[in-house]
Amino acid sequence: MSQIHPLVRPALKGIVYFGVVCAALVALWLYMPKGEVNWYPSLWMRLAAVSPLFFSTQLGRAVFAVLKRRMDGRERIVFAGSFCLGVGCLAVLAEAGVVYASFGTAEGLSYFDILFQPFSSRYSLQIFAGIGFASSAVLAAGFVALMSVPIRVLSMEHQSRTKSALEDEANT
């Protein structure tokens, strides 16, 4: 039995963070009073979609704790693939939850009817210039996994080298 790749664990950490954001979004949609309070639902949808951008520092630290060096190409692909896949799955589940909470019961649709629609007639929430919630979340996760986290890990590696060079210089 093969072991899990070490970079999947930091990716799972980010997926859990995104899952908490999605659960809060669906709960907000279900339990906020309709029409009584102006709570700007489209703003919350946009913030939830780009929320992986807010986790990049934590994910960078988690990746550096595992590797202790910069990420090579294969490691970037493993991390980005697992992170984007998890975020995409959760985003589709959350999007279906919000669509169901918005008008599923009025239309006589169940959550699973909305979730398992064919891609050609899928219900989607357009939040950024015609881009849906799930697509926006995957794009944000891809940016974090392929650009932001590797740059943070490279910076941490440089800081670690500088610190160890200064300590070596002080010891001699």
Side-chain angles (χ1 to χ4, degrees), residues 18-169:
F18 184 70
V20 169
V21 169
C22 286
L25 176 70
V26 173
L28 183 71
W29 216 276
L30 286 172
Y31 297 111
M32 283 299 283
K34 306 290 186 260
E36 294 179 23
V37 177
N38 193 2
W39 57 283
Y40 303 106
S42 65
L43 174 66
W44 292 108
M45 289 293 295
R46 288 181 179 121
L47 283 173
V50 298
S51 66
L53 298 172
F54 304 123
F55 313 141
S56 62
T57 301
Q58 291 295 326
L59 294 178
R61 288 181 187 145
V63 168
F64 187 72
V66 169
L67 292 179
K68 303 288 188 212
R69 60 176 173 73
R70 72 184 73 187
M71 299 168 74
D72 65 16
R74 182 179 181 279
E75 291 165 339
R76 282 186 187 194
I77 297 300
V78 167
F79 178 72
S82 56
F83 185 56
C84 290
L85 180 68
V87 166
C89 290
L90 286 176
V92 167
L93 293 173
E95 186 173 39
V98 170
V99 169
Y100 176 73
S102 296
F103 61 87
T105 53
E107 297 291 325
L109 298 170
S110 72
Y111 174 77
F112 295 107
D113 290 337
I114 295 169
L115 184 63
F116 296 116
Q117 282 287 60
F119 285 111
S120 61
S121 62
R122 185 162 188 78
Y123 295 102
S124 128
L125 302 169
Q126 308 298 316
I127 58 172
F128 288 116
I131 300 174
F133 174 78
S135 301
S136 298
V138 170
L139 287 171
F143 176 79
V144 167
L146 292 172
M147 293 295 294
S148 185
V149 168
I151 289 170
R152 289 182 194 280
V153 169
L154 183 63
S155 173
M156 289 177 200
E157 179 189 32
H158 179 69
Q159 290 173 352
S160 175
R161 280 189 201 164
T162 304
K163 183 180 176 183
S164 64
L166 289 173
E167 288 174 355
D168 289 345
E169 197 174 282

